[in-house]
Amino acid sequence: MESRIERIKKQLHTAGYKLTPQREATVRVLLEHEEDHLSAEDVYLLVKEKSPEIGLATVYRTLELLTELKIVDKINFGDGVSRYDLRKEGAAHFHHHLVCIECGAVDEIQEDLLEDVEAIVERDWNFKIKDHRLTFHGICYRCQEKEQKEEHE
Ligand SMILES: [Zn+2]
Ligand SMILES: [Zn+2]
């Protein structure tokens, strides 16, 4: 955790920004909830637990800055809410998401899996791909198991 904060601090410095205590509080919440996909409001409520003096506008500006620097990715799963997702270290591309239409769970796929598709797009559309977003909508394994159990009862 501390070494990741150090590296984010360096990324900010390189871009000409400081890791102020307010920014650090926001980064810590994102690191502590790495598996979650928090909205600005969620991040704010968690930051506030430890640093009640920090306002929503400050958290929001920090999230926008981190997005600009590609430390976090902003994503929308179709519910109109922007969520912030820490970019995995060393990841060239954004990871994929599996969104369950029954329970709302969001799982992640870290493997890229798209090399072939990207090669076709770059060749046939002469498009230099920098990143992608891929969200699958379906029924997660937990909900499938639950359904199967209920059927057998
Ligand atoms: Zn994610
Ligand atoms: Zn589910």
Side-chain angles (χ1 to χ4, degrees), residues 100 102-103 105 140 143:
C100 179
E102 284 189 4
C103 71
C140 74
C143 287

Side-chain angles (χ1 to χ4, degrees), residues 114-144:
L114 289 181
E115 283 93 351
D116 294 346
V117 174
E118 287 181 347
I120 294 168
V121 171
E122 294 209 336
R123 188 190 65 212
D124 292 356
W125 279 269
N126 188 25
F127 186 79
K128 186 91 202 71
I129 294 170
K130 296 283 190 191
D131 208 350
H132 49 238
R133 251 134 229 262
L134 184 56
T135 305
F136 295 96
H137 299 267
I139 299 163
C140 74
Y141 69 90
R142 292 167 294 259
C143 287
Q144 290 181 55

Side-chain angles (χ1 to χ4, degrees), residues 21-93:
Q22 293 93 321
R23 286 176 183 156
E24 184 173 334
T26 303
V27 167
R28 278 184 189 276
V29 163
L30 291 171
L31 284 167
E32 281 162 12
H33 298 268
E34 205 176 349
E35 303 305 308
D36 302 330
H37 296 84
L38 303 173
S39 67
E41 194 101 335
D42 296 334
V43 176
Y44 167 65
L45 291 174
L46 290 162
V47 167
K48 222 173 82 165
E49 280 174 18
K50 283 174 191 159
S51 318
E53 72 285 0
I54 301 177
L56 176 61
T58 306
V59 169
Y60 192 74
R61 277 197 302 271
T62 301
L63 291 169
E64 289 300 302
L65 175 65
L66 295 171
T67 305
E68 221 171 275
L69 299 179
K70 289 202 182 335
I71 294 166
V72 302
D73 286 294
K74 208 197 293 200
I75 189 160
N76 188 320
F77 292 126
D79 57 1
V81 180
S82 293
R83 296 171 190 284
Y84 296 86
D85 206 357
L86 210 57
R87 190 170 269 255
K88 302 295 177 276
E89 277 188 294
H93 287 157

